[in-house]
Structures are given as C-alpha cells and as structure tokens.
Amino acid sequence: MSPPFDVLSRIRIVAAILLVYCACSAAFARDDAKAEAADEARPPAQFLEPTTATDASTAIPFSFIYDQKPSRDLMKNWKYQRTKRNLDEGRVQYESTWNDPRTGLVIRMKGILYEKYPVVEWTVTFKNEGKTDTPILESIQALDTRLTSPGATTASNPILHSFKGSPAELDDYHPRPSPIPPGETIHIGTTGGRPCNTNLPYFNLEGAGGGVIIAVGWPGQWTSSWECDISKTVHVLAGQEITHLKLLPGEEVRTPLVALLFWKGDRIRSHNTWRRWMLEYNLPRPRGELPPPQLVACSSHQFGEMIGANEDNQKLFIDRYLEEKLKIDYWWMDAGWYKNDGTWVNTGTWEVDPKRFPHGLRAITDHGREKGVRSIVWFEPERVTKKSELFETRPEWLLSPSGLPAGLAYQNDWRLFNLGNPDALKWLIDRVDGLIHSQGIDLYRQDFNMDPSFFWSTGEPDDRRGIAENHYVRGYLAYWDELLRRNPGLRIDSCASGGRRNDLETLRRAVPLLRSDYLFEPTGQQCHTYGISFWYPYHGTGTLIGASQIFGSKIESDVVYAFRSHMAPSVTACWDLRRKDLNYDLLRKLTAQLHETQPYYLGDYYPLTPYSTQNDVWMAWRFDRPDLGGGVVQAFRRPASLEETRRFKLGGLDPTARYVVKDVDLDEVKEASGRELIEQGLAVTLKNQPQAAVVIYKRK
C-alpha cells in the first residue's frame, strides 16, 4: 500500500541516522522550517549523512541526563559509528552507536524505516561496558523532540487525540481530543505499572492539515508530556516514568519502543494507514498467518471459571456446541484448572489438578482437536498467592509490595514473580513450555490482575530507581519470545484484567481476546468497539446473550441488539449449552451473520456518528475491505433514541462501480452506485428501541 502522501523521500534522508526526525514530517516540521514550504522541508545539511558525533547528537530524538549533564552536550564528544542493512523488501534497519571512553557507557539506537508506510521506529539501549559502576543515568526520554504545525494560526491550536485505557468501565477506549493552547502542558501516562490501566500509549497529534501518530511501546509504567509554546511548537517527551540509576559492569537497560507515523490531510485516513501497518508488520503471524476471525466458547459462567470444571463437563460442552451446529474454533479453559484452594485466585502452583482432570487437560484438548476445535488455556504466572508452590519454595524469586493505596491493600498478600531474575525466568519458561506441550495447548492466555509498580519499587536504593521495572519488562518480552520460538504455531492472548497491557511491544506478540472486563452491557460494548478500532485491528469480546435464563422475558430483538453490540474479530460465547430450551435457531442465525461480517473487521475503519455513551442517540461505524471490494455498516438505535432513520455517507468507494447492498435482516437485496452511496448515503431505518442493523455491501 502506498503512503497517503509523498513523505518517504524525506523520511529516507533522516533515517540514515536511525530515525525520521520530526523535522521532515509532512504535517509537522522542525520549528525552523517554513510553514508554507512544509511539503518541501528538508533537514539541515548535517542530517543527510552524519559523519561525526557532533552532527548525530544534534539530530537524536531521545535524551537523558548522565552524571548531571544533558545528553546532547555529552554525546558530541563521544565515539560515533553507524550501520545500515536491509531487513527485507519493505524495511531498512539503521544502527547508531555512541561510546563514552571515560565511563564505558555504550548507547545503541536501532531503528527501522518502513519503505511502504510513512513510519519509523526506534529503541535505545544503554550498556555499561566498563569495569566500574557508571555515574547516575537519569530522566531517560525515549522520545524528546519539538514539532511545529505548518500553517498554524492563532486560531488553530494543535490538537492531541488521546484515548482512555481499559479500567473496566463503560467508556473504556473513549476518544479524547484536547487542543493544546500556547503556554499549556498536557501530561498523560498510566498508573500501577500496566500500560493501558488508565490511558492508551497511542496518540495522534493533529496540526493544520496533518499530523503525527506516536506510539510508546512499553509494557510498564510510562509517561508523556505535550507542551505548546507561542509559536505552536509542541515539545513532546515520553518514556519510562522513573529512571535514576547507575549501571553495574556489564548491565544493560533499554527505552520504550517509539513509533511515528506521519500523515497529511484526513485524520481518519491516518488511522487507517496505521491499521494497515499494524496488520502487515505488527500483528503476530504464527506460521506466517494473521490471527483469523473466530468464535470461541467457554463454560466459565457455569463452573466458576474452572473451579467446578472437570474432564467430563468440558467434553460435554464441546460436544453440545457441535451438536447444535454452532461451529466453534477454540474451547477456552479459564482460571482454576490447576491445584488450588477452591478459588481461582490461588495462583503460583502450575500443575494440573489430578482430582478433576485425572488424564490432564490433554484429554480435553485432544477431544476437541479431533473434532476441529483447538484449545485456549488460562495462565497468570506473574501473580503469586499464599500457599502456592512458588510462594512457599521460591521467595527469592518474588517481589513484595510497598506503598499500596488503601484500595489495593488486598495485594499485600500477593507477590510478583520477578521476570527480571534470570533464574526465575528460565524456570518459568521451562515450566509453561512443558505444559503447552504436555497438555496440547494451542493458544496461551496470560492474565495479569495486579499493579506491579508497587512491587518494582520496593527496596530500590536511590541510585537504582527504575532498574527493577526495566529488567522486568525485558524479561516479560523475552519470556513470550522464547515461548514463541519453541512453539512456532503458538498464539498468545494478552488479557491483563481485560485489555490493560496492550502497548505496541505486547501487540507484536499477542492479541487481546477480551478487550475489557466491563462486560455484556450493550452501550458499553458499542463504545469500546468505536474507540478501540482506531488502534487495534484485532480484538475480542465475550457474550452471554441469547440464553433465556439470562434475559428472562426479553424479546428476540433485544437479544439480537445485544449480540450485535458484541460483534468483533473474536467473540467468546458463554452460553449454557446443557440447556435444551435455548433458542438455538436464533443462535445459529446470529453466529452465521457474525462469520459473514468478521472478515471486514480487518479492513479500514470509519466512524459514522460521534462518540457517545448516552442512550438517546445512534452510534454507527463502517469497516471496509478494498481488497474484497466490500464492507459492513453497523448501526445502533439506542433505547431512548427518537430517530427511526439515519443516512450515512460512505466515502472512499468507486463512484463508477455498482454495489450490492444487503441488510442481513431483510430478504431483499438492493443495488446502488458508488456515487449514490458516497453523495446520498446509505439509509438505515430501525423502528424498535433499541435495535441494531448490519448492512453488507459488495462491489459487483
């Protein structure tokens, strides 16, 4: 796919030193560039092919303080080297190295230029290659740069588009545009150590006619600041929240991954460029394949997760789904399959309970696999509770908390398995890999229901603040990388209390099959899809709808409305298939419609209404697949809305083509020209309150 504007030539210039410096953005330029010549802006000459440390140090987009001195003053006097190599047809890797001969500190910045997209990324490492401890290294900013919006006027302030995280609330993933007036600073970060606890680490900084998407890939405690001055220059800082540490001989730390996507013109288009880049280069591809759309099933709501589950009832549920011709792709076994004290939170003993599963989970996974159903199994290796194997036998591998706020006091009885400890990490890799093989697990689900920052900081001396978190994050990523290396076909679900750890580094290894722990309520599910789709092409929900024992006397239209509010690339059915009195005809109809719709979710995303949590409005969106010549419109008339009909203009279609348009609830199929759908729009009528429509269109 071609980039949305001609920016690659400018990107290549600056990428020669590992980055596309913000001076060359089509929408944001270095603050010394002329606004009216933004499309022709070039960085100063020394940026073209830097040959000295002085040239390179002035261009770097990161910063730090070392021995109480700012990095740019120091690095110009250090030994500098650079290399370049092609990774593949679409990517070029650049590496720059700075070496401080006095202290032995070596800095390596690895970056990638994407040839097909206006995207660059980088990560920086700091290693002590000397024989003594380094001076204090502090205030490490993975991103430190200034951006100016060409054409900005006094009436046009830069707008920072940020998004709420996933703290299990109705408005998870809420889009939040915030103008940044001159003289103001916006601070955005996470809390508790999980990157999506409160805010997403994804931003779109919009200026006059374009902007820059910025992602901070850090599965830990990150922070950012966005300061605008009178010239409308925005000073952006982002990185690990706390770094004030010395490095021991041979020790290494890293910064968060930073990715920038430059764009010009339409902001929604920029998000679709991002989605395409995510699909092509970021989503995990076991055996070279993207994660497929899927229907998953579990019995968690019937057996208290897996506390009341056993071999027989798990096989029974698999069989019942297939008997009712509800084709499921995975059978999901959640928390509680291991030896425990009768509660699912008793984690830290990773052995299958022999009383309930005398033949192991393998008997269940083999049973499903023989019938075309693969397996998902839940783990939570980082949280360790009392009376567990690890709590009792490996205290040296565990971190204790301190400074917990009153609302988290219950976590005082927990321990954090220290993934930054090499011995602990090796043990965990071997134990979990052994279970994956012995139990026939196809998809590894990793939950994380605690706030690790209070454990990382415990006992850290003043000259080592931030080191535990940094080593932990490196261990976490190494853990997943090794599991994937040993199991080439393995898929991973990121979970973490429903979507609280989905930074870019995590999403390169896993997908969130449960995007939020705010579950089942339709308005919230619609809001989640609306917001998350700007950033994640693949995500999942869980649905209890369709079962009479859940909804009592609710009419069929309400059940349909609820189901469609949960439709996503991955949907987990939580229905009680032991019951024979469910409306299985309706469930088969709805799942068939889901399967017909799901391929379009991996396409471009277009919101068709404003975002709202209110119940007196409509909410609608569209997913479009140019490669398939079609797409889907989903529209929801909420319970208190007085409007029966809305019309939605479908931009981006071929105005000369003819399209077949089908409402899945109607027998009739209509035709319309692309021009009609673009200019007049698609009319959707919903007579009930509430009611949902699914309209599929395909090019003839």
Side-chain angles (χ1 to χ4, degrees), residues 622-651:
R622 165 187 166 219
F623 290 95
D624 183 80
R625 288 281 299 270
D627 58 322
L628 299 182
V632 61
V633 172
Q634 288 184 262
F636 301 87
R637 181 186 179 186
R638 290 185 175 162
S641 172
L642 300 179
E643 292 184 87
E644 283 194 1
T645 300
R646 291 289 302 269
R647 188 174 290 272
F648 306 107
K649 294 183 178 181
L650 309 184

PDB file of all heavy atoms in Angstrom, residues 622-651:
ATOM      1  N   ARG A 622     -18.307   1.825  10.178  1.00  0.00           N
ATOM      2  CA  ARG A 622     -18.170   1.050   8.943  1.00  0.00           C
ATOM      3  C   ARG A 622     -16.763   0.475   8.873  1.00  0.00           C
ATOM      4  O   ARG A 622     -15.789   1.140   9.239  1.00  0.00           O
ATOM      5  CB  ARG A 622     -18.423   1.969   7.756  1.00  0.00           C
ATOM      6  CG  ARG A 622     -17.988   1.462   6.391  1.00  0.00           C
ATOM      7  CD  ARG A 622     -18.150   2.573   5.365  1.00  0.00           C
ATOM      8  NE  ARG A 622     -17.483   2.300   4.116  1.00  0.00           N
ATOM      9  CZ  ARG A 622     -16.839   3.200   3.390  1.00  0.00           C
ATOM     10  NH1 ARG A 622     -16.769   4.448   3.807  1.00  0.00           N
ATOM     11  NH2 ARG A 622     -16.266   2.867   2.251  1.00  0.00           N
ATOM     12  N   PHE A 623     -16.660  -0.772   8.442  1.00  0.00           N
ATOM     13  CA  PHE A 623     -15.384  -1.394   8.116  1.00  0.00           C
ATOM     14  C   PHE A 623     -15.381  -1.709   6.628  1.00  0.00           C
ATOM     15  O   PHE A 623     -16.364  -2.258   6.105  1.00  0.00           O
ATOM     16  CB  PHE A 623     -15.162  -2.671   8.926  1.00  0.00           C
ATOM     17  CG  PHE A 623     -14.920  -2.422  10.389  1.00  0.00           C
ATOM     18  CD1 PHE A 623     -15.966  -2.482  11.293  1.00  0.00           C
ATOM     19  CD2 PHE A 623     -13.654  -2.126  10.863  1.00  0.00           C
ATOM     20  CE1 PHE A 623     -15.761  -2.249  12.646  1.00  0.00           C
ATOM     21  CE2 PHE A 623     -13.442  -1.885  12.214  1.00  0.00           C
ATOM     22  CZ  PHE A 623     -14.492  -1.950  13.100  1.00  0.00           C
ATOM     23  N   ASP A 624     -14.270  -1.386   5.958  1.00  0.00           N
ATOM     24  CA  ASP A 624     -14.213  -1.525   4.509  1.00  0.00           C
ATOM     25  C   ASP A 624     -12.962  -2.288   4.097  1.00  0.00           C
ATOM     26  O   ASP A 624     -11.868  -2.005   4.602  1.00  0.00           O
ATOM     27  CB  ASP A 624     -14.220  -0.138   3.855  1.00  0.00           C
ATOM     28  CG  ASP A 624     -14.231  -0.215   2.341  1.00  0.00           C
ATOM     29  OD1 ASP A 624     -15.312  -0.431   1.775  1.00  0.00           O
ATOM     30  OD2 ASP A 624     -13.153  -0.063   1.721  1.00  0.00           O
ATOM     31  N   ARG A 625     -13.126  -3.255   3.202  1.00  0.00           N
ATOM     32  CA  ARG A 625     -12.009  -4.026   2.674  1.00  0.00           C
ATOM     33  C   ARG A 625     -11.874  -3.762   1.183  1.00  0.00           C
ATOM     34  O   ARG A 625     -12.540  -4.408   0.363  1.00  0.00           O
ATOM     35  CB  ARG A 625     -12.230  -5.517   2.924  1.00  0.00           C
ATOM     36  CG  ARG A 625     -12.083  -5.987   4.352  1.00  0.00           C
ATOM     37  CD  ARG A 625     -10.626  -6.139   4.762  1.00  0.00           C
ATOM     38  NE  ARG A 625      -9.922  -7.121   3.965  1.00  0.00           N
ATOM     39  CZ  ARG A 625      -9.842  -8.415   4.265  1.00  0.00           C
ATOM     40  NH1 ARG A 625     -10.437  -8.881   5.358  1.00  0.00           N
ATOM     41  NH2 ARG A 625      -9.172  -9.249   3.498  1.00  0.00           N
ATOM     42  N   PRO A 626     -11.040  -2.822   0.765  1.00  0.00           N
ATOM     43  CA  PRO A 626     -10.846  -2.594  -0.670  1.00  0.00           C
ATOM     44  C   PRO A 626     -10.412  -3.847  -1.413  1.00  0.00           C
ATOM     45  O   PRO A 626     -10.798  -4.054  -2.574  1.00  0.00           O
ATOM     46  CB  PRO A 626      -9.760  -1.512  -0.700  1.00  0.00           C
ATOM     47  CG  PRO A 626      -9.885  -0.804   0.606  1.00  0.00           C
ATOM     48  CD  PRO A 626     -10.280  -1.863   1.584  1.00  0.00           C
ATOM     49  N   ASP A 627      -9.619  -4.701  -0.753  1.00  0.00           N
ATOM     50  CA  ASP A 627      -9.154  -5.911  -1.424  1.00  0.00           C
ATOM     51  C   ASP A 627     -10.280  -6.906  -1.669  1.00  0.00           C
ATOM     52  O   ASP A 627     -10.205  -7.731  -2.580  1.00  0.00           O
ATOM     53  CB  ASP A 627      -8.042  -6.568  -0.604  1.00  0.00           C
ATOM     54  CG  ASP A 627      -8.477  -6.912   0.805  1.00  0.00           C
ATOM     55  OD1 ASP A 627      -9.235  -6.122   1.416  1.00  0.00           O
ATOM     56  OD2 ASP A 627      -8.066  -7.967   1.327  1.00  0.00           O
ATOM     57  N   LEU A 628     -11.344  -6.839  -0.863  1.00  0.00           N
ATOM     58  CA  LEU A 628     -12.511  -7.721  -1.057  1.00  0.00           C
ATOM     59  C   LEU A 628     -13.629  -7.021  -1.815  1.00  0.00           C
ATOM     60  O   LEU A 628     -14.652  -7.646  -2.123  1.00  0.00           O
ATOM     61  CB  LEU A 628     -13.037  -8.207   0.295  1.00  0.00           C
ATOM     62  CG  LEU A 628     -12.076  -9.032   1.156  1.00  0.00           C
ATOM     63  CD1 LEU A 628     -12.774  -9.467   2.444  1.00  0.00           C
ATOM     64  CD2 LEU A 628     -11.563 -10.250   0.391  1.00  0.00           C
ATOM     65  N   GLY A 629     -13.455  -5.729  -2.079  1.00  0.00           N
ATOM     66  CA  GLY A 629     -14.481  -4.992  -2.804  1.00  0.00           C
ATOM     67  C   GLY A 629     -15.764  -4.803  -2.024  1.00  0.00           C
ATOM     68  O   GLY A 629     -16.847  -4.719  -2.607  1.00  0.00           O
ATOM     69  N   GLY A 630     -15.669  -4.746  -0.707  1.00  0.00           N
ATOM     70  CA  GLY A 630     -16.888  -4.610   0.083  1.00  0.00           C
ATOM     71  C   GLY A 630     -16.608  -4.202   1.505  1.00  0.00           C
ATOM     72  O   GLY A 630     -15.466  -3.922   1.900  1.00  0.00           O
ATOM     73  N   GLY A 631     -17.684  -4.171   2.283  1.00  0.00           N
ATOM     74  CA  GLY A 631     -17.560  -3.781   3.672  1.00  0.00           C
ATOM     75  C   GLY A 631     -18.853  -3.983   4.419  1.00  0.00           C
ATOM     76  O   GLY A 631     -19.818  -4.562   3.887  1.00  0.00           O
ATOM     77  N   VAL A 632     -18.883  -3.523   5.660  1.00  0.00           N
ATOM     78  CA  VAL A 632     -20.053  -3.685   6.507  1.00  0.00           C
ATOM     79  C   VAL A 632     -20.320  -2.386   7.261  1.00  0.00           C
ATOM     80  O   VAL A 632     -19.384  -1.709   7.702  1.00  0.00           O
ATOM     81  CB  VAL A 632     -19.879  -4.856   7.498  1.00  0.00           C
ATOM     82  CG1 VAL A 632     -18.694  -4.620   8.434  1.00  0.00           C
ATOM     83  CG2 VAL A 632     -21.149  -5.085   8.311  1.00  0.00           C
ATOM     84  N   VAL A 633     -21.590  -2.040   7.375  1.00  0.00           N
ATOM     85  CA  VAL A 633     -22.047  -0.927   8.197  1.00  0.00           C
ATOM     86  C   VAL A 633     -22.817  -1.505   9.368  1.00  0.00           C
ATOM     87  O   VAL A 633     -23.716  -2.337   9.178  1.00  0.00           O
ATOM     88  CB  VAL A 633     -22.934   0.040   7.402  1.00  0.00           C
ATOM     89  CG1 VAL A 633     -23.553   1.093   8.325  1.00  0.00           C
ATOM     90  CG2 VAL A 633     -22.132   0.715   6.287  1.00  0.00           C
ATOM     91  N   GLN A 634     -22.444  -1.106  10.576  1.00  0.00           N
ATOM     92  CA  GLN A 634     -23.206  -1.478  11.767  1.00  0.00           C
ATOM     93  C   GLN A 634     -23.795  -0.216  12.372  1.00  0.00           C
ATOM     94  O   GLN A 634     -23.079   0.778  12.567  1.00  0.00           O
ATOM     95  CB  GLN A 634     -22.320  -2.182  12.790  1.00  0.00           C
ATOM     96  CG  GLN A 634     -21.924  -3.588  12.385  1.00  0.00           C
ATOM     97  CD  GLN A 634     -21.116  -4.271  13.476  1.00  0.00           C
ATOM     98  OE1 GLN A 634     -19.902  -4.309  13.421  1.00  0.00           O
ATOM     99  NE2 GLN A 634     -21.813  -4.802  14.472  1.00  0.00           N
ATOM    100  N   ALA A 635     -25.086  -0.246  12.643  1.00  0.00           N
ATOM    101  CA  ALA A 635     -25.777   0.923  13.193  1.00  0.00           C
ATOM    102  C   ALA A 635     -26.637   0.485  14.369  1.00  0.00           C
ATOM    103  O   ALA A 635     -27.278  -0.576  14.334  1.00  0.00           O
ATOM    104  CB  ALA A 635     -26.637   1.590  12.124  1.00  0.00           C
ATOM    105  N   PHE A 636     -26.666   1.315  15.403  1.00  0.00           N
ATOM    106  CA  PHE A 636     -27.392   1.011  16.627  1.00  0.00           C
ATOM    107  C   PHE A 636     -28.294   2.186  16.996  1.00  0.00           C
ATOM    108  O   PHE A 636     -27.808   3.304  17.206  1.00  0.00           O
ATOM    109  CB  PHE A 636     -26.420   0.734  17.774  1.00  0.00           C
ATOM    110  CG  PHE A 636     -25.474  -0.408  17.506  1.00  0.00           C
ATOM    111  CD1 PHE A 636     -24.268  -0.184  16.847  1.00  0.00           C
ATOM    112  CD2 PHE A 636     -25.795  -1.693  17.888  1.00  0.00           C
ATOM    113  CE1 PHE A 636     -23.398  -1.229  16.580  1.00  0.00           C
ATOM    114  CE2 PHE A 636     -24.936  -2.751  17.627  1.00  0.00           C
ATOM    115  CZ  PHE A 636     -23.734  -2.515  16.966  1.00  0.00           C
ATOM    116  N   ARG A 637     -29.582   1.911  17.055  1.00  0.00           N
ATOM    117  CA  ARG A 637     -30.516   2.880  17.620  1.00  0.00           C
ATOM    118  C   ARG A 637     -30.680   2.523  19.090  1.00  0.00           C
ATOM    119  O   ARG A 637     -31.211   1.459  19.437  1.00  0.00           O
ATOM    120  CB  ARG A 637     -31.873   2.820  16.917  1.00  0.00           C
ATOM    121  CG  ARG A 637     -32.876   3.829  17.462  1.00  0.00           C
ATOM    122  CD  ARG A 637     -34.248   3.648  16.864  1.00  0.00           C
ATOM    123  NE  ARG A 637     -35.210   4.616  17.421  1.00  0.00           N
ATOM    124  CZ  ARG A 637     -36.512   4.619  17.169  1.00  0.00           C
ATOM    125  NH1 ARG A 637     -37.040   3.694  16.355  1.00  0.00           N
ATOM    126  NH2 ARG A 637     -37.298   5.522  17.733  1.00  0.00           N
ATOM    127  N   ARG A 638     -30.223   3.392  19.954  1.00  0.00           N
ATOM    128  CA  ARG A 638     -30.217   3.082  21.374  1.00  0.00           C
ATOM    129  C   ARG A 638     -31.609   3.243  21.991  1.00  0.00           C
ATOM    130  O   ARG A 638     -32.515   3.814  21.369  1.00  0.00           O
ATOM    131  CB  ARG A 638     -29.168   3.942  22.083  1.00  0.00           C
ATOM    132  CG  ARG A 638     -27.751   3.515  21.706  1.00  0.00           C
ATOM    133  CD  ARG A 638     -26.710   4.241  22.471  1.00  0.00           C
ATOM    134  NE  ARG A 638     -25.369   3.734  22.170  1.00  0.00           N
ATOM    135  CZ  ARG A 638     -24.251   4.392  22.429  1.00  0.00           C
ATOM    136  NH1 ARG A 638     -24.304   5.595  23.007  1.00  0.00           N
ATOM    137  NH2 ARG A 638     -23.074   3.875  22.136  1.00  0.00           N
ATOM    138  N   PRO A 639     -31.802   2.744  23.217  1.00  0.00           N
ATOM    139  CA  PRO A 639     -33.157   2.607  23.786  1.00  0.00           C
ATOM    140  C   PRO A 639     -33.977   3.881  23.838  1.00  0.00           C
ATOM    141  O   PRO A 639     -35.208   3.827  23.716  1.00  0.00           O
ATOM    142  CB  PRO A 639     -32.895   2.064  25.192  1.00  0.00           C
ATOM    143  CG  PRO A 639     -31.587   1.364  25.096  1.00  0.00           C
ATOM    144  CD  PRO A 639     -30.786   2.141  24.107  1.00  0.00           C
ATOM    145  N   ALA A 640     -33.336   5.038  24.029  1.00  0.00           N
ATOM    146  CA  ALA A 640     -34.110   6.281  24.174  1.00  0.00           C
ATOM    147  C   ALA A 640     -34.053   7.172  22.937  1.00  0.00           C
ATOM    148  O   ALA A 640     -34.528   8.311  22.975  1.00  0.00           O
ATOM    149  CB  ALA A 640     -33.603   7.062  25.392  1.00  0.00           C
ATOM    150  N   SER A 641     -33.517   6.664  21.834  1.00  0.00           N
ATOM    151  CA  SER A 641     -33.431   7.481  20.627  1.00  0.00           C
ATOM    152  C   SER A 641     -34.802   7.606  19.960  1.00  0.00           C
ATOM    153  O   SER A 641     -35.529   6.619  19.813  1.00  0.00           O
ATOM    154  CB  SER A 641     -32.446   6.860  19.631  1.00  0.00           C
ATOM    155  OG  SER A 641     -32.499   7.541  18.397  1.00  0.00           O
ATOM    156  N   LEU A 642     -35.133   8.820  19.533  1.00  0.00           N
ATOM    157  CA  LEU A 642     -36.418   9.077  18.888  1.00  0.00           C
ATOM    158  C   LEU A 642     -36.322   9.033  17.366  1.00  0.00           C
ATOM    159  O   LEU A 642     -37.346   9.135  16.680  1.00  0.00           O
ATOM    160  CB  LEU A 642     -36.963  10.443  19.326  1.00  0.00           C
ATOM    161  CG  LEU A 642     -37.200  10.609  20.835  1.00  0.00           C
ATOM    162  CD1 LEU A 642     -37.714  12.014  21.141  1.00  0.00           C
ATOM    163  CD2 LEU A 642     -38.176   9.549  21.343  1.00  0.00           C
ATOM    164  N   GLU A 643     -35.114   8.896  16.825  1.00  0.00           N
ATOM    165  CA  GLU A 643     -34.938   8.858  15.368  1.00  0.00           C
ATOM    166  C   GLU A 643     -35.123   7.437  14.845  1.00  0.00           C
ATOM    167  O   GLU A 643     -34.546   6.495  15.379  1.00  0.00           O
ATOM    168  CB  GLU A 643     -33.547   9.343  14.982  1.00  0.00           C
ATOM    169  CG  GLU A 643     -33.286  10.814  15.223  1.00  0.00           C
ATOM    170  CD  GLU A 643     -31.913  11.207  14.723  1.00  0.00           C
ATOM    171  OE1 GLU A 643     -31.790  11.541  13.529  1.00  0.00           O
ATOM    172  OE2 GLU A 643     -30.958  11.161  15.522  1.00  0.00           O
ATOM    173  N   GLU A 644     -35.919   7.308  13.782  1.00  0.00           N
ATOM    174  CA  GLU A 644     -36.122   5.999  13.161  1.00  0.00           C
ATOM    175  C   GLU A 644     -35.166   5.758  12.001  1.00  0.00           C
ATOM    176  O   GLU A 644     -34.858   4.601  11.695  1.00  0.00           O
ATOM    177  CB  GLU A 644     -37.560   5.846  12.648  1.00  0.00           C
ATOM    178  CG  GLU A 644     -38.578   5.560  13.723  1.00  0.00           C
ATOM    179  CD  GLU A 644     -39.899   5.093  13.134  1.00  0.00           C
ATOM    180  OE1 GLU A 644     -39.989   4.973  11.888  1.00  0.00           O
ATOM    181  OE2 GLU A 644     -40.832   4.852  13.917  1.00  0.00           O
ATOM    182  N   THR A 645     -34.727   6.810  11.343  1.00  0.00           N
ATOM    183  CA  THR A 645     -33.910   6.656  10.141  1.00  0.00           C
ATOM    184  C   THR A 645     -32.696   7.563  10.210  1.00  0.00           C
ATOM    185  O   THR A 645     -32.792   8.732  10.601  1.00  0.00           O
ATOM    186  CB  THR A 645     -34.722   6.980   8.874  1.00  0.00           C
ATOM    187  OG1 THR A 645     -35.840   6.091   8.794  1.00  0.00           O
ATOM    188  CG2 THR A 645     -33.864   6.821   7.623  1.00  0.00           C
ATOM    189  N   ARG A 646     -31.553   7.007   9.820  1.00  0.00           N
ATOM    190  CA  ARG A 646     -30.334   7.791   9.668  1.00  0.00           C
ATOM    191  C   ARG A 646     -29.731   7.471   8.306  1.00  0.00           C
ATOM    192  O   ARG A 646     -29.888   6.371   7.780  1.00  0.00           O
ATOM    193  CB  ARG A 646     -29.324   7.464  10.774  1.00  0.00           C
ATOM    194  CG  ARG A 646     -29.725   7.929  12.167  1.00  0.00           C
ATOM    195  CD  ARG A 646     -29.669   9.430  12.331  1.00  0.00           C
ATOM    196  NE  ARG A 646     -28.367   9.979  12.053  1.00  0.00           N
ATOM    197  CZ  ARG A 646     -27.411  10.157  12.970  1.00  0.00           C
ATOM    198  NH1 ARG A 646     -27.625   9.808  14.235  1.00  0.00           N
ATOM    199  NH2 ARG A 646     -26.246  10.680  12.652  1.00  0.00           N
ATOM    200  N   ARG A 647     -29.033   8.424   7.757  1.00  0.00           N
ATOM    201  CA  ARG A 647     -28.384   8.238   6.459  1.00  0.00           C
ATOM    202  C   ARG A 647     -26.877   8.442   6.646  1.00  0.00           C
ATOM    203  O   ARG A 647     -26.446   9.435   7.222  1.00  0.00           O
ATOM    204  CB  ARG A 647     -28.958   9.210   5.435  1.00  0.00           C
ATOM    205  CG  ARG A 647     -28.488   8.979   4.004  1.00  0.00           C
ATOM    206  CD  ARG A 647     -29.223   9.889   3.040  1.00  0.00           C
ATOM    207  NE  ARG A 647     -30.612   9.508   2.892  1.00  0.00           N
ATOM    208  CZ  ARG A 647     -31.062   8.616   2.014  1.00  0.00           C
ATOM    209  NH1 ARG A 647     -30.197   8.002   1.206  1.00  0.00           N
ATOM    210  NH2 ARG A 647     -32.343   8.345   1.929  1.00  0.00           N
ATOM    211  N   PHE A 648     -26.095   7.489   6.122  1.00  0.00           N
ATOM    212  CA  PHE A 648     -24.650   7.507   6.318  1.00  0.00           C
ATOM    213  C   PHE A 648     -23.943   7.531   4.971  1.00  0.00           C
ATOM    214  O   PHE A 648     -24.142   6.637   4.141  1.00  0.00           O
ATOM    215  CB  PHE A 648     -24.199   6.278   7.109  1.00  0.00           C
ATOM    216  CG  PHE A 648     -24.917   6.109   8.418  1.00  0.00           C
ATOM    217  CD1 PHE A 648     -25.867   5.115   8.579  1.00  0.00           C
ATOM    218  CD2 PHE A 648     -24.655   6.950   9.481  1.00  0.00           C
ATOM    219  CE1 PHE A 648     -26.535   4.954   9.775  1.00  0.00           C
ATOM    220  CE2 PHE A 648     -25.313   6.800  10.692  1.00  0.00           C
ATOM    221  CZ  PHE A 648     -26.265   5.800  10.842  1.00  0.00           C
ATOM    222  N   LYS A 649     -23.133   8.549   4.754  1.00  0.00           N
ATOM    223  CA  LYS A 649     -22.376   8.662   3.510  1.00  0.00           C
ATOM    224  C   LYS A 649     -21.122   7.789   3.593  1.00  0.00           C
ATOM    225  O   LYS A 649     -20.372   7.852   4.568  1.00  0.00           O
ATOM    226  CB  LYS A 649     -22.012  10.116   3.248  1.00  0.00           C
ATOM    227  CG  LYS A 649     -23.230  11.000   2.974  1.00  0.00           C
ATOM    228  CD  LYS A 649     -22.830  12.435   2.650  1.00  0.00           C
ATOM    229  CE  LYS A 649     -24.067  13.274   2.334  1.00  0.00           C
ATOM    230  NZ  LYS A 649     -23.713  14.680   1.987  1.00  0.00           N
ATOM    231  N   LEU A 650     -20.911   6.984   2.541  1.00  0.00           N
ATOM    232  CA  LEU A 650     -19.828   6.008   2.527  1.00  0.00           C
ATOM    233  C   LEU A 650     -18.721   6.488   1.592  1.00  0.00           C
ATOM    234  O   LEU A 650     -18.704   6.167   0.398  1.00  0.00           O
ATOM    235  CB  LEU A 650     -20.345   4.635   2.094  1.00  0.00           C
ATOM    236  CG  LEU A 650     -21.582   4.112   2.835  1.00  0.00           C
ATOM    237  CD1 LEU A 650     -21.915   2.698   2.379  1.00  0.00           C
ATOM    238  CD2 LEU A 650     -21.387   4.164   4.347  1.00  0.00           C
ATOM    239  N   GLY A 651     -17.810   7.263   2.120  1.00  0.00           N
ATOM    240  CA  GLY A 651     -16.715   7.765   1.308  1.00  0.00           C
ATOM    241  C   GLY A 651     -15.735   6.668   0.940  1.00  0.00           C
ATOM    242  O   GLY A 651     -15.705   5.588   1.535  1.00  0.00           O
TER     243      GLY A 651
END
